[in-house]
Amino acid sequence: AQKITQTQPGMFVQEKEAVTLDCTYDTSDQSYGLFWYKQPSSGEMIFLIYQGSYDEQNATEGRYSLNFQKARKSANLVISASQLGDSAMYFCAMSPTGANSKLTFGKGITLSVRP
Amino acid sequence: NAGVTQTPKFQVLKTGQSMTLQCAQDMNHEYMSWYRQDPGMGLRLIHYSVGAGITDQGEVPNGYNVSRSTTEDFPLRLLSAAPSQTSVYFCASSRSGVSYNEQFFGPGTRLTVL
């Protein structure tokens, strides 16, 4: 079984500053993938970034980077240079490698960007 | 490409009624899934399919049926709706393979059971 824990109830960040959203996970699988999704108030699920458990380097996608610490079982999302449009709910998720249809999600973190 | 489409966008049912949530994708993806999203709970997997004719249960399958007769379509059936099934339902699809494949989500269906 897989479990994702997101405990930050809500986060605030000033526009143009960086923010870290925490995610810890638990799994018995040797090979797995970690994902972050953004859900704005409009409701759609937007894929942000992916990290494979055997990837040696942390994933980066534009202003998003994933701080992957395998020994600590953490996969924190770092958003640099926050923008007002980053205000949304953020979900951490994982799946066994090759089982992309079986995502396990955390409960999410609300991020609010202040002008 | 339309991507993943879901119909209807909104639905109100009475307890005991049945209905089918439709999901279709035009990306020729082998994998398709249904999730439900409740406040404070994140998304939870209901059922998934790894190809036409193959389906399996996820974390919260009770009260829902699925079938996959074509690659494109993956309908979710509620046989006898209950207030506990009030939720937002998301369908998703992805390619198969041992390496990473992004899941593409539909826009969601907001269901209210009275």
Side-chain angles (χ1 to χ4, degrees):
Chain A
Q2 301 184 322
K3 183 177 180 181
I4 296 283
T5 302
Q6 296 180 264
T7 58
Q8 296 162 307
M11 292 288 288
F12 293 88
V13 65
Q14 204 68 30
E15 193 178 8
K16 299 180 184 178
E17 292 185 348
V19 62
T20 298
L21 305 183
D22 295 341
C23 172
T24 58
Y25 63 91
D26 195 17
T27 181
S28 55
D29 295 302
Q30 294 299 310
S31 181
Y32 49 89
L34 294 152
F35 304 76
W36 277 91
Y37 282 86
K38 172 184 177 181
Q39 186 177 45
S41 58
S42 52
E44 71 268 33
M45 296 293 289
I46 301 169
F47 166 76
L48 296 178
I49 197 167
Y50 166 85
Q51 176 84 43
S53 60
Y54 285 105
D55 293 341
E56 294 185 352
Q57 292 195 337
N58 286 343
T60 59
E61 289 286 349
R63 294 187 298 111
Y64 304 108
S65 60
L66 200 152
N67 185 1
F68 180 48
Q69 298 188 42
K70 194 171 183 178
R72 293 188 175 185
K73 294 188 176 180
S74 73
N76 299 338
L77 177 69
V78 180
I79 305 175
S80 63
S82 297
Q83 301 172 355
L84 296 179
D86 294 334
S87 294
M89 180 76 81
Y90 289 81
F91 291 97
C92 181
M94 72 181 304
S95 73
T97 297
N100 301 299
S101 55
K102 297 173 61 177
L103 283 174
T104 298
F105 283 84
K107 295 183 178 181
I109 302 167
T110 301
L111 175 66
S112 299
V113 181
R114 293 170 170 155
Chain B
N1 281 353
V4 180
T5 58
Q6 292 183 237
T7 55
K9 284 187 167 51
F10 302 93
Q11 183 70 49
V12 179
L13 291 178
K14 293 181 179 178
T15 298
Q17 287 184 318
S18 63
M19 79 159 296
T20 299
L21 306 185
Q22 301 292 344
C23 174
Q25 52 91 10
D26 62 358
M27 297 172 281
N28 203 31
H29 286 170
E30 295 88 349
Y31 289 176
M32 296 187 75
S33 309
W34 276 102
Y35 298 86
R36 61 177 288 173
Q37 182 179 21
D38 302 301
M41 296 292 291
L43 278 73
R44 292 181 292 169
L45 182 64
I46 305 172
H47 285 284
Y48 65 98
S49 169
V50 298
I54 306 169
T55 64
D56 205 347
Q57 296 180 350
E59 180 187 353
V60 288
N62 292 343
Y64 307 97
N65 277 358
V66 292
S67 60
R68 183 101 178 267
S69 55
T70 67
T71 299
E72 294 78 20
D73 300 299
F74 191 42
L76 179 72
R77 283 182 287 276
L78 284 71
L79 299 179
S80 179
S84 60
Q85 294 178 305
T86 293
S87 188
V88 179
Y89 292 84
F90 287 98
C91 179
S93 74
S94 63
R95 290 187 290 121
S96 64
V98 296
S99 60
Y100 147 71
N101 284 307
E102 175 189 345
Q103 274 211 338
F104 293 83
F105 282 81
T109 293
R110 185 174 295 274
L111 175 67
T112 302
V113 183
L114 303 175

